[in-house]
């Protein structure tokens, strides 16, 4: 799942770069294509950040969890 998030983030960032480069000629806040491209860049970075942090949080939760009683008997 986390590898998929990284791939999706990469695709979103590439789409953002393409939108920004395609609409760079008129650099202002009324350029909708440029604003969408910047939004893709920000969103892609956030998706990538979540894809990197979520496995670390999952490992932390697994390390803090008490052992099962079934595993103790074995």
């Amino acid at each position: 799942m986390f590898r998929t998030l990284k791939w999706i983030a990469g695709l979103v960032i590439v789409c953002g770069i393409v939108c920004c480069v395609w609409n760079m000629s008129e650099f202002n806040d009324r350029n909708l294509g440029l604003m969408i491209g910047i939004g893709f860049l920000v969103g892609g970075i956030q998706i990538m950040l979540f894809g990197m942090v979520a496995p670390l949080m999952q490992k932390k939760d697994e390390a803090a969890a008490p052992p099962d009683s079934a595993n103790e008997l074995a």
Side-chain angles (χ1 to χ4, degrees), residues 54-68:
L56 298 174
M57 296 301 291
Q58 186 177 15
K59 288 178 186 175
K60 180 181 174 185
D61 288 343
E62 289 173 357
D68 291 339

Side-chain angles (χ1 to χ4, degrees), residues 4-29:
T4 305
L5 281 176
K6 290 179 185 178
W7 276 99
I8 291 171
L11 289 174
V12 170
I13 289 172
V14 168
C15 288
I17 290 170
V18 169
C19 283
C20 286
V21 170
W22 191 273
N23 297 299
M24 190 67 76
S25 61
E26 189 178 339
F27 194 81
N28 60 29
D29 61 344

Side-chain angles (χ1 to χ4, degrees), residues 35-51:
M35 295 298 115
I36 290 172
I38 292 171
F40 275 141
L41 289 173
V42 171
I45 292 170
Q46 289 181 348
I47 293 169
M48 188 173 290
L49 181 67
F50 182 73

